[in-house]
Amino acid sequence: MEAGNINDFIDNLTIQDEMVRYDGYLYYFYGVQFCEEKGLYYTHIDRFKPDIHHFVDEFYYYECSSKADCLEHLLNDKYWDGKSFYEIESQLKWVDG
């Protein structure tokens, strides 16, 4: 991961939002959150181009009953053109707002 440590990035996702650049897009990770109403944890990523003011779509969404499982899916599901977060992390650039 360019401009940051992959382990720090992943740790941050359990407590806050983060952003990365990849393949001409900005991806906003909303971290792992808890929905009181549903009693479930969820995570999602929105895609923007070229900045946070140009929303493209909700790129990824997952919900489940476990915070750890939610993070596991976020990192290992193959939603990056058939690849997981770990498979493309070397091409990601961690960015500040």
Side-chain angles (χ1 to χ4, degrees):
M1 174 170 277
E2 186 180 337
N5 178 286
I6 183 78
N7 294 322
D8 292 341
F9 182 86
I10 292 168
D11 287 346
N12 284 358
L13 292 178
T14 63
I15 57 171
Q16 66 189 32
D17 302 345
E18 292 295 346
M19 292 186 294
V20 299
R21 288 202 183 281
Y22 173 69
D23 199 26
Y25 291 92
L26 179 68
Y27 293 87
Y28 193 98
F29 289 70
Y30 290 90
V32 178
Q33 303 173 27
F34 185 73
C35 176
E36 295 276 340
E37 187 177 301
K38 291 181 175 182
L40 295 173
Y41 289 91
Y42 67 98
T43 186
H44 62 107
I45 302 170
D46 284 345
R47 180 170 31 190
F48 299 84
K49 187 170 187 173
D51 57 47
I52 199 77
H53 304 289
H54 296 91
F55 177 78
V56 174
D57 59 7
E58 183 178 75
F59 181 70
Y60 178 78
Y61 182 87
Y62 184 79
E63 66 182 19
C64 63
S65 60
S66 161
K67 186 175 189 176
D69 184 54
C70 213
L71 184 60
E72 180 76 17
H73 276 269
L74 178 64
L75 299 174
N76 292 303
D77 286 355
K78 296 188 181 276
Y79 54 90
W80 301 93
D81 295 323
K83 296 180 180 176
S84 73
F85 176 86
Y86 286 121
E87 291 173 309
I88 63 145
E89 68 87 9
S90 65
Q91 300 168 55
L92 299 176
K93 181 178 182 181
W94 193 355
V95 297
D96 290 327

